[in-house]
Amino acid sequence: MSLILDNMPLFLRGLLATLQIGVVTLIASTIIGFILGTLAVTRSRLLRLVVRGYVELLRAVPLIVNIFFIFFGAPLFGLQLTPYAAAVIGLSLWGGANGAEIVRGGLLGVPRHQAQSARALGMTEPEIFIQILLPQAMRAIIPAFAGLLTLLVQSTTLGALVGVPEFLQISRLVVERTTVMQGIDPAFQVYAFVLVIYFLLCSTLSFASRWLESVLAARGGSRKTGTAKSLLPETVS
Amino acid sequence: MDFDPAYLAKQLPALWRGLLVTIEVSAIAMLIAFALGVFGATIRYLRIPFLSPLLWFYVEFMRNTPLLVQMFFIVFGLPALGLTLPLFWAGVVSLALWAAAFHIESLRGGLATVGKDLHEAGTALGLGKWQFLALVGLPLGLRVALPSMLNTCVSLLKNSAMLQAIGLMELTFVAVDKMAMDFRMLEMFSVLLVVYVALVFLLSAAANWLEYVLQRPFRI
């Protein structure tokens, strides 16, 4: 226990980096998700196909391979990425694919007659999208994105494998340093500590997501709010 | 950097061995996870005191912690308690324990859809608790839970790539190892991409087939 307390400043720095990556990738995923998710419900078959391909590809390849590809593969395109940048890009592309599914699901969950009625009232397509479809879809989209944040926070650990100094990587360093300097292997305590902190963090986020869902559903009356959250993968992979 | 087929051909035997490890570790973990899932969901369904709340916590814990940290804990942390597993089996255990949590939750949900009327009908026919579960509950509940359980299996297969981090020589490990030695990224990433997409596709196809077959009694 004293080992954990002695290294607390380090752990806190790692935890901060984890949260930072989580928030940054959530923002990037939201942007990618909204753009692609909107394109996925347009009338253009080609656009829909492109989005479908992107989503399926990113969901079929293990996330860690994806991050390795960006980190080790960037030099192929004449880029030199830091581990931090590679992890953020890899996670954002993955989060963006899942975000696109969420947004698409949310938009398709709005009953058809809403757009039809708006069209009958003479609203233009952009007006219908912004004033009619999006606000109703948001009810399903917001809790799903909160769920996505939980997954993203969990997946930041993969950054450790390319050397991002996030929570897990810092803990690895603490284990190594203590083993070398003091001759004892504290892996059990340290990784148990990491597990507990992650559990507290992520279960709070999961709880927040469920809470948002119930609050927004209550506000929407008895009507079902679509199934955006069920389109989220239940786990990082 | 150009794609060099000759280089790729030379690395194929090593990659093939890596692929076999990936398939073995995933397949064994899937079987164990399935067994643990059925076992755990049964305990949850029967509300066995003490064990049932414990499993609820287990499921929440496993779902809200990153798999990679779980792997590190099992591989590097457990030896402190005198539990040292060979690397391959440590991989199997970590994947199986992780997937079992998702299976328990899916199957618990599936069993919950088996309605009260069926239960009453079973009791009226003289079925005991266990008989009802084995003859009615599980066959019906499994069908409902199957799609999400098969999704978990696909995730398990993909997550076996994380075992690279603990040094198990599975496909991703071999490919990344070769990259570190020869700096030929393009060939190795092409292999990873093609193989994982193919594996996921095959497993999904098998999953769809299984769902189709199991729905047979319910089609007219």
Side-chain angles (χ1 to χ4, degrees):
Chain A
M1 199 62 215
S2 68
L3 176 80
I4 305 275
L5 289 175
D6 288 344
N7 290 294
M8 208 33 124
L10 266 177
F11 283 126
L12 282 179
R13 227 167 57 199
L15 202 53
L16 203 66
T18 288
L19 291 174
Q20 197 186 16
I21 298 174
V23 171
V24 170
T25 48
L26 180 71
I27 294 170
S29 306
T30 309
I31 297 170
I32 300 174
F34 267 90
I35 295 172
L36 292 184
T38 310
L39 292 180
V41 294
T42 52
R43 290 208 194 108
S44 156
R45 178 173 289 217
L46 180 70
L47 278 178
R48 287 204 310 253
L49 213 66
V50 170
V51 175
R52 194 80 251 139
Y54 173 83
V55 171
E56 291 301 328
L57 185 68
L58 275 143
R59 280 183 163 203
V61 180
L63 183 50
I64 182 60
V65 171
N66 194 350
I67 293 172
F68 279 147
F69 176 67
I70 288 165
F71 186 61
F72 295 117
L76 289 179
F77 306 99
L79 278 170
Q80 197 65 53
L81 290 176
T82 62
Y84 186 88
V88 167
I89 295 174
L91 294 179
S92 300
L93 291 178
W94 179 82
N98 291 308
E101 278 295 275
I102 294 172
V103 173
R104 188 181 68 95
L107 288 172
L108 291 179
V110 179
R112 226 155 222 274
H113 62 76
Q114 293 283 328
Q116 286 164 348
S117 312
R119 219 164 277 139
L121 288 171
M123 293 175 85
T124 62
E125 291 301 320
E127 276 176 349
I128 296 174
F129 184 73
I130 291 170
Q131 294 179 20
I132 306 293
L133 293 182
L134 215 46
Q136 299 189 61
M138 284 314 261
R139 212 175 286 142
I141 290 173
I142 289 171
F145 266 103
L148 182 61
L149 178 61
T150 319
L151 294 183
L152 283 173
V153 167
Q154 287 192 26
S155 61
T156 54
T157 47
L158 297 179
L161 303 184
V162 290
V164 181
E166 47 70 71
F167 195 35
L168 178 60
Q169 177 70 359
I170 295 272
S171 314
R172 274 166 105 185
L173 292 178
V174 169
V175 170
E176 262 173 45
R177 212 176 55 174
T178 319
T179 310
V180 173
M181 310 256 289
Q182 299 174 18
I184 45 162
D185 183 4
F188 183 80
Q189 294 98 297
V190 172
Y191 291 132
F193 170 71
V194 176
L195 279 175
V196 169
I197 297 295
Y198 259 109
F199 174 64
L200 294 177
L201 184 62
C202 293
S203 47
T204 311
L205 289 173
S206 309
F207 179 77
S209 165
R210 259 173 272 168
W211 178 78
L212 272 174
E213 204 169 17
S214 66
V215 166
L216 291 171
R219 199 176 283 179
S222 57
R223 194 159 60 72
K224 274 190 73 180
T225 52
T227 52
K229 198 165 176 190
S230 63
L231 293 168
L232 203 62
E234 58 186 357
T235 122
V236 181
S237 60
Chain B
M1 191 181 258
D2 295 323
F3 194 91
D4 183 358
Y7 170 78
L8 185 57
K10 225 169 64 189
Q11 307 302 337
L12 277 184
L15 289 166
W16 174 250
R17 280 193 299 274
L19 175 61
L20 287 184
V21 174
T22 289
I23 294 176
E24 278 171 31
V25 90
S26 310
I28 299 174
M30 277 178 208
L31 290 178
I32 298 177
F34 181 79
L36 289 177
V38 171
F39 184 67
T42 305
I43 290 176
R44 294 279 282 133
Y45 179 73
L46 296 176
R47 304 210 179 145
I48 293 174
F50 183 67
L51 280 182
S52 183
L54 199 70
L55 275 179
W56 170 82
F57 181 75
Y58 173 77
V59 169
E60 285 299 308
F61 190 84
M62 297 304 271
R63 281 161 60 111
N64 283 305
T65 49
L67 174 57
L68 192 58
V69 185
Q70 294 168 16
M71 283 174 178
F72 276 35
F73 183 74
I74 287 173
V75 174
F76 304 119
L78 285 190
L81 299 185
L83 265 172
T84 312
L85 289 167
L87 209 50
F88 180 84
W89 289 102
V92 168
V93 167
S94 56
L95 286 174
L97 289 180
W98 172 84
F102 289 90
H103 282 339
I104 291 173
E105 189 57 19
S106 309
L107 199 47
R108 190 197 57 77
L111 286 174
T113 62
V114 179
K116 209 173 174 185
D117 40 355
L118 273 178
H119 199 263
E120 280 161 4
T123 314
L125 287 171
L127 292 181
K129 218 162 41 171
W130 291 95
Q131 276 175 315
F132 175 78
L133 196 69
L135 297 173
V136 185
L138 279 175
L140 290 175
L142 263 173
R143 281 185 171 85
V144 177
L146 203 62
S148 61
M149 290 177 81
L150 293 170
N151 265 337
T152 305
C153 287
V154 173
S155 296
L156 187 155
L157 174 72
K158 286 193 282 169
N159 281 338
S160 71
M162 284 189 205
L163 294 172
Q164 182 265 356
I166 58 167
L168 181 68
M169 293 173 80
E170 46 72 68
L171 182 65
T172 307
F173 183 93
V174 174
V176 172
D177 194 43
K178 296 282 175 216
M179 276 187 260
M181 280 198 293
D182 303 331
F183 293 104
R184 301 217 52 106
M185 321 292 179
L186 201 55
E187 290 82 358
M188 288 303 138
F189 277 120
S190 317
V191 170
L192 286 183
L193 180 74
V194 169
V195 172
Y196 277 115
V197 170
L199 282 179
V200 168
F201 180 80
L202 281 177
L203 192 57
S204 308
N208 285 337
W209 174 81
L210 189 62
E211 275 175 52
Y212 178 80
V213 168
L214 286 178
Q215 284 302 321
R216 196 166 281 163
F218 299 97
R219 272 193 300 270
I220 306 162

